């Protein structure tokens, strides 16, 4: 059932089997600011073979266009229409699913990626990086215009932001509580740091309830957006990721095959352990599809 892809022939057979590849980013293409070896070449080869490629990241700190710059910086070819992020999914959800009213605004606990994606959908926001320096513990004034609180990874989170988020959610009737993604950790500096799930946890505890929506993987919003725009055949699609409870569950929930890459969060031990209930279709040590060329 869980197939180990090891040889060049197995890698080629794997690629031939699918028309569309959904790539998780962190842990598969790069770790933070360090790209893994051979990624641009692998992507070029997939495109030469006529494969469609999509990028699906839970990282809400950047906008889609900032991600595109990151791709360009690494020499990875990508189009805006191929990049999907939890911040983008959050903005799309507010706009198209909740029909977020024009006279309302969003309070953000998170970085500018969320603000920019909301702006792109014409949604007003406040908080976010603007509130990063606030240290006072004065009472939170009412702001009846706040109709949703969005929480994502915030490396400058503080008590004031939490107080505001909590105040709007408890005082403003019908205020939506949305979390971009619930990764408990993410890889950085060769180690693991608290993720968006850990940033949102205090508000979940204070409210005593779950968010109204969580948009990142394993939720299906990004897959639905890809299907709506690109009409891909799910039977010919494979999701490639490093994390079982986000990427691999995302693929399984969406009915696509999955490849777990052991370059990120998941170790071989965890993947193969009898306790692990999230089994990918395949696993591979690193997503290298060509033998490395000798240095010229
Ligand atoms: N980097 C940051 C800053 C994140 O917040 C997250 C997700 O929470 C990730 C990376 C993981 O992103 P990906 O889904 O591309 O692995
Ligand atoms: Ca990942």
């Amino acid at each position: 059932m869980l197939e180990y892809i090891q040889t060049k022939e197995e890698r080629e057979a794997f690629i031939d089997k699918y028309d569309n590849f959904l790539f998780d980013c962190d842990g598969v293409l790069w770790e933070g600011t360090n790209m893994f070896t051979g990624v641009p070449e692998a992507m070029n080869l997939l495109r030469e073979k006529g494969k469609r490629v999509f990028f699906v990241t839970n990282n809400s700190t950047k906008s889609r266009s900032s991600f595109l710059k990151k791709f360009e910086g690494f020499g990875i070819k990508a189009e805006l229409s191929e990049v999907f992020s939890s911040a983008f999914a959050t903005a799309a959800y507010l706009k198209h699913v909740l029909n977020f009213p024009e006279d309302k605004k969003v309070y953000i606990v998170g970085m500018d990626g969320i603000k920019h994606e909301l702006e792109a959908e014409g949604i007003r926001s406040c908080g976010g990086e603007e509130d990063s320096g606030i240290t006072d513990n004065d009472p939170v004034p009412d702001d009846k215009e706040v109709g949703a609180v969005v929480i994502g990874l915030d490396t400058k989170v503080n008590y004031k932001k939490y107080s505001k988020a909590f105040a709007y959610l408890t005082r403003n009737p019908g205020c939506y509580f949305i979390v971009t993604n619930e990764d408990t950790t993410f890889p950085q500096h060769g180690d693991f740091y608290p993720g968006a799930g850990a940033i949102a946890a205090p508000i979940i505890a204070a409210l005593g309830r779950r968010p109204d929506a969580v948009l990142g993987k394993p939720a299906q919003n990004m897959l639905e957006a890809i299907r709506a725009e690109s009409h891909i055949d799910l039977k010919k699609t494979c999701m490639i990721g490093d994390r079982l409870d986000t990427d691999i569950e995302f693929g399984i929930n969406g009915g696509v095959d999955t490849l777990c890459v052991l370059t990120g969060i998941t170790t071989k031990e965890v993947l193969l352990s009898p306790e692990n209930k999230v089994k990918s279709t395949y696993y591979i040590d690193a997503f290298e599809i060509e033998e490395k060329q000798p240095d010229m």
Side-chain angles (χ1 to χ4, degrees), residues 107 109 128 131-132 154 156 158-165:
Y107 183 74
V109 178
D131 281 357
S132 292
D154 189 335
K156 294 173 185 160
N158 59 43
Y159 192 75
K160 190 72 183 195
K161 292 186 192 181
Y162 281 138
S163 305
K164 285 187 165 188

Side-chain angles (χ1 to χ4, degrees), residues 22 52 54 64 81 84 88 92 96 220-234:
L22 312 180
R52 299 187 76 176
F54 298 90
R64 283 172 115 188
S81 61
F84 292 82
F88 167 73
H96 304 293
Q220 292 297 291
N221 302 66
M222 290 193 274
L223 187 58
E224 282 158 17
I226 292 169
R227 285 186 73 193
E229 287 173 25
S230 302
H231 310 288
I232 56 168
D233 178 357
L234 296 185

Side-chain angles (χ1 to χ4, degrees), residues 5 8 34 46 49 57 59 85 143 167 169 173 180 213 247 288 291:
I5 299 178
K8 193 167 185 276
N34 298 318
L46 289 177
K49 286 176 177 273
T57 178
N59 185 344
S85 73
D143 189 343
L169 284 165
T180 57
D247 309 322
E288 283 181 38
E291 298 303 338

Side-chain angles (χ1 to χ4, degrees), residues 143-210:
D143 189 343
K144 295 292 176 207
E145 278 196 348
V146 175
V149 169
V150 170
I151 304 186
L153 184 85
D154 189 335
T155 57
K156 294 173 185 160
V157 70
N158 59 43
Y159 192 75
K160 190 72 183 195
K161 292 186 192 181
Y162 281 138
S163 305
K164 285 187 165 188
F166 184 73
Y168 303 139
L169 284 165
T170 49
R171 290 179 196 166
N172 295 3
C175 186
Y176 296 109
F177 174 27
I178 297 176
V179 175
T180 57
N181 64 296
E182 278 196 307
D183 298 49
T184 50
T185 57
F186 72 101
Q188 190 177 240
H189 311 313
D191 207 339
F192 297 107
Y193 282 72
I199 300 293
I203 292 298
I204 294 173
L207 291 172
R209 73 168 176 102
R210 294 281 304 145

Side-chain angles (χ1 to χ4, degrees), residues 23-28 30 32 56-62 67 70 84 86 111 152-155 180-188 194-197 217 222 239 241-243 246-247 265:
F23 281 94
D24 163 48
C25 297
D26 211 286
V28 174
W30 58 65
V56 189
T57 178
N58 271 5
N59 185 344
S60 68
T61 64
K62 289 182 195 297
F67 274 117
K70 181 164 182 170
F84 292 82
S86 62
M111 312 304 282
L153 184 85
D154 189 335
T155 57
T180 57
N181 64 296
E182 278 196 307
D183 298 49
T184 50
T185 57
F186 72 101
Q188 190 177 240
K217 299 165 287 185
M222 290 193 274
M239 170 73 202
D242 69 307
R243 191 168 182 128
T246 55
D247 309 322
I265 298 252

